[in-house]
Amino acid sequence: MADTKQLWDRYQSQLIVDERLGFALDVSRMDLDDALLAQHAALTKKAVDDMAKLEAGALANPDEKRMVGHYWLRAPQLAPTPELRAQIEDTLGAVHRFAADVHCGRLSAEDGGRFANVLVIGIGGSALGPQLVADALGGADDRMRVFFFDNTDPDGVDRVIEQIERAGGMARTLTVVISKSGGTKETRNGMLEAQAAYLARGLSPSLHLVAVTGEGSELDKTAVSQQWLARFPMWDWVGGRTSELCAVGLLPAALQGLNIEGMLKGARSMDALTRNPDVKQNPALMMALCWLKATEGKGKKDLVVLPYKDRLVLFSRYLQQLVMESLGKQHDLDGKVVHQGIAVYGNKGSTDQHAYVQQLRDGVANFFVTFLEVQKERAGSSIEVEPGVTSGDYLFGFLQGTRRALYEGGRGSITLTIDDVTPHRLGALIALWERAVGFYATLVNVNAYHQPGVEAGKKAAQAVITLQGKVVEALTSAKAAVTADQLAATIGESAETETVFKILEHLAANGRARKSKGASPCQARFTR
Ligand code: PA5
């Protein structure tokens, strides 16, 4: 562990600053040295070279045989063909025009009034970015209020609709349904729930609905056949978790009235900074190298993300998906079983100092931290909570104190500093992490751009729904009350008796079956 003098020297020599981006990366508490940089020089060069190929249009997602083009979204001139460039530019133009039409009332609600709310329906990469941006950049001046359905929880849906009803109602709500594949069940269910809510109020769903999806997808076909207000494309060369800067994120943000050009510009500038082959000048490459050191390239330590800013509370959640869905892979690119990944969790400081930071300071040292510092305290001036001291001074003090205490306890940390939370800075942060994840994937030789585990989860849920259909059918035709064992045997699914029992309990809890006591809890009898 370095002493304070060594730390100050290291801080000065390792700090990466970009004043135009209002950004700095400090890795002094990660104990990197030149020997380590030299040891990994060939690997970091490969990461830069692979990234250059990816940006030039290589099939960088080999499993799905797809290009990976999220960097072109903010620099369309880099797209490998004129057609792709035109698609990106046309879509951006369409997003701006649509938002302007909604804001000025050219596109109005059914009653002729202006739309006041946006309900965004999506999940995973089709929700986490829009949620982060809405929360980080939103405020009292927003042109429209934004709500989300990001699950298939009926009670969750009801709660959101109640909030919408208190904010102008469904009549004044535009609904944007987002799904790259267009077949995700949670999103499909959310769409059906929204349509039912419109119908229950005597409204025409099609006059409220907009789709963001792949051309020809199930959702796209629905939008065409039901004549929705508009459709925006989502391309197979943009991954869900890197889709914030295509229509997925830009449309909700533009409707909210946020500066989407600022976000794109910030991302573009960060992309330029992080193309630098010199690791000492490239914050994304430096972060990836820190992760490699901390985790030994094997996920041995978790990454705790601690933004000391309420506006960035969702950043930890956003990064959890970006990092874990990208890096958490069973096989490497050579097909070898590796079980790669880095676990990410976090919330915000200083709030978390009154929760799990206790363990970070004193407990098991199985993590490293990324602090996110925002220099600007607030838009206006601050009161003094003590002579000469503001609330923001305390926030700053807590961050610095925690960082120091962790290091003294042998726990490493990275500190990212931005001057303010603006569209430009948020776009830059998103771009920084996207590229750090891409670089790290090369360092540990995994495909960051597919998600076989997510697809497997979708299939597993569908299998349960299919089994539920058989259970309901058998229960309906049963002459007497049956146990799960009996019913599973009847439908030829004895191996699935536990799932059959859980389905019966689920149906009974929701008034769709009746349950009577059995010899033991699992021998309960069920009827329709
Ligand atoms: O990042 C991803 O690829 C996933 O999290 C998807 O975004 C998520 O599964 C939703 O998929 P879709 O956008 O196809 O509905």
Side-chain angles (χ1 to χ4, degrees):
M1 195 184 76
D3 64 27
T4 50
K5 165 76 177 68
Q6 289 167 324
L7 279 175
W8 171 232
D9 290 344
R10 202 191 281 164
Y11 177 84
Q12 294 176 82
S13 67
Q14 294 183 345
L15 191 70
I16 303 178
V17 182
D18 187 299
E19 283 179 4
R20 279 175 317 122
L21 271 168
F23 163 86
L25 174 75
D26 164 20
V27 297
S28 57
R29 269 68 176 173
M30 291 300 288
D31 292 341
L32 294 182
D33 55 25
D34 284 346
L36 186 109
L37 300 194
Q39 183 194 335
H40 293 299
L43 207 48
T44 48
K45 180 175 179 318
K46 180 173 178 351
V48 172
D49 291 348
D50 282 2
M51 188 62 81
K53 288 182 202 147
L54 176 151
E55 288 201 78
L59 293 183
N61 178 353
D63 303 71
E64 295 173 348
K65 301 198 173 26
R66 287 178 181 170
M67 295 188 290
V68 175
H70 47 275
Y71 301 109
W72 313 327
L73 299 170
R74 48 264 195 168
Q77 73 280 5
L78 297 182
T81 67
E83 291 73 26
L84 290 180
R85 175 180 181 161
Q87 284 175 27
I88 297 166
E89 289 173 345
D90 291 352
T91 303
L92 181 59
V95 165
H96 277 297
R97 281 193 301 279
F98 185 81
D101 285 351
V102 171
H103 292 158
C104 76
R106 243 190 321 272
L107 187 67
S108 60
E110 277 185 77
D111 62 4
R114 291 203 185 166
F115 282 115
N117 306 314
V118 193
L119 169 60
V120 178
I121 304 177
I123 196 164
S126 294
L128 287 159
Q131 286 170 321
L132 163 68
V133 168
D135 195 47
L137 302 177
D141 296 336
D142 289 351
R143 300 295 298 262
M144 300 173 79
R145 279 191 67 182
V146 189
F147 299 87
F148 291 90
F149 286 175
D150 67 351
N151 198 354
T152 182
D153 175 7
D155 174 59
V157 164
D158 292 345
R159 278 167 45 131
V160 173
I161 291 179
E162 273 165 32
Q163 288 166 18
I164 290 175
E165 285 304 315
R166 285 197 293 273
M170 290 298 286
R172 294 289 178 93
T173 300
L174 192 69
T175 291
V176 180
V177 186
I178 306 175
S179 174
K180 175 178 166 176
S181 63
T184 303
K185 295 304 181 198
E186 292 94 328
T187 304
R188 192 275 318 258
N189 297 353
M191 174 196 78
L192 293 173
E193 295 273 2
Q195 287 183 326
Y198 284 122
L199 288 170
R201 289 158 181 78
L203 299 161
S204 306
S206 301
L207 299 178
H208 296 256
L209 285 160
V210 177
V212 180
T213 188
E215 201 181 335
S217 74
E218 210 180 298
L219 171 59
D220 196 41
K221 287 183 193 144
T222 305
V224 171
S225 69
Q226 296 179 359
Q227 298 183 297
W228 289 13
L229 290 175
R231 293 180 297 130
F232 293 85
M234 170 72 177
W235 305 288
D236 71 358
W237 44 267
V238 178
R241 54 197 170 275
T242 51
S243 64
E244 175 49 32
L245 296 176
C246 72
V248 167
L250 297 181
L251 181 64
L255 288 166
Q256 191 177 351
L258 305 177
N259 175 6
I260 60 172
E261 290 297 336
M263 284 168 55
L264 290 165
K265 190 164 177 228
R268 194 158 52 238
S269 302
M270 183 57 82
D271 286 343
L273 182 65
T274 52
R275 282 190 191 107
N276 194 328
D278 178 0
V279 63
K280 289 186 173 174
Q281 302 297 324
N282 183 329
L285 200 50
M286 186 60 98
M287 281 166 62
L289 204 54
C290 287
W291 300 355
L292 189 72
K293 176 172 190 290
T295 68
E296 295 176 31
K298 295 190 170 94
K300 283 193 178 170
K301 285 192 176 169
D302 301 342
L303 166 50
V304 182
V305 180
L306 274 176
Y308 275 62
K309 199 71 181 167
D310 288 357
R311 280 185 182 274
L312 293 177
V313 64
L314 295 183
F315 202 53
S316 330
R317 208 168 144 216
Y318 171 80
L319 293 180
Q320 191 171 55
Q321 188 215 16
L322 178 65
V323 175
M324 295 179 74
E325 202 169 284
S326 301
L327 302 178
K329 301 291 156 71
Q330 184 176 3
H331 296 104
D332 70 8
L333 282 164
D334 303 321
K336 211 167 95 202
V337 174
V338 286
H339 295 292
Q340 266 295 348
I342 302 178
V344 176
Y345 62 93
N347 182 33
K348 64 173 181 176
S350 72
T351 314
D352 290 347
Q353 291 185 215
H354 301 265
Y356 62 83
V357 173
Q358 164 63 33
Q359 176 171 321
L360 301 191
R361 289 180 74 135
D362 298 341
V364 56
N366 61 351
F367 66 91
F368 64 108
V369 174
T370 296
F371 289 103
L372 193 42
E373 177 192 23
V374 179
Q375 290 173 321
K376 187 168 177 181
E377 284 185 8
R378 57 159 38 115
S381 57
S382 285
I383 60 156
E384 293 185 359
V385 292
E386 289 165 21
V389 178
T390 65
S391 307
D393 293 337
Y394 268 98
L395 193 65
F396 169 76
F398 281 124
L399 188 160
Q400 296 302 328
T402 303
R403 176 172 171 267
R404 170 185 282 245
L406 288 178
Y407 186 71
E408 285 170 0
R411 282 105 167 121
S413 68
I414 297 169
T415 303
L416 286 171
T417 302
I418 52 171
D419 53 2
D420 196 3
V421 183
T422 63
H424 188 268
R425 298 333 188 208
L426 192 58
L429 282 182
I430 288 169
L432 172 71
W433 283 82
E434 284 177 350
R435 201 173 291 252
V437 166
F439 281 146
Y440 185 79
T442 299
L443 300 185
V444 296
N445 195 35
V446 296
N447 177 359
Y449 307 107
H450 68 161
Q451 51 285 323
V454 178
E455 310 305 335
K458 290 180 185 180
K459 283 196 189 115
Q462 197 52 52
V464 175
I465 297 294
T466 306
L467 183 58
Q468 178 176 308
K470 291 188 195 172
V471 168
V472 170
E473 202 183 319
L475 198 61
T476 308
S477 38
K479 303 235 172 338
V482 285
T483 64
D485 285 298
Q486 291 165 336
L487 201 122
T490 307
I491 60 176
E493 297 278 6
S494 291
E496 291 295 336
T497 306
E498 185 193 351
T499 313
V500 168
F501 178 72
K502 297 298 292 177
I503 290 170
L504 288 166
E505 285 219 301
H506 167 69
L507 294 172
N510 289 285
R512 288 146 69 193
R514 278 201 299 267
K515 177 181 171 185
S516 54
K517 284 208 168 86
S520 70
C522 298
Q523 290 305 312
R525 294 185 169 275
F526 295 87
T527 51
R528 267 322 300 263

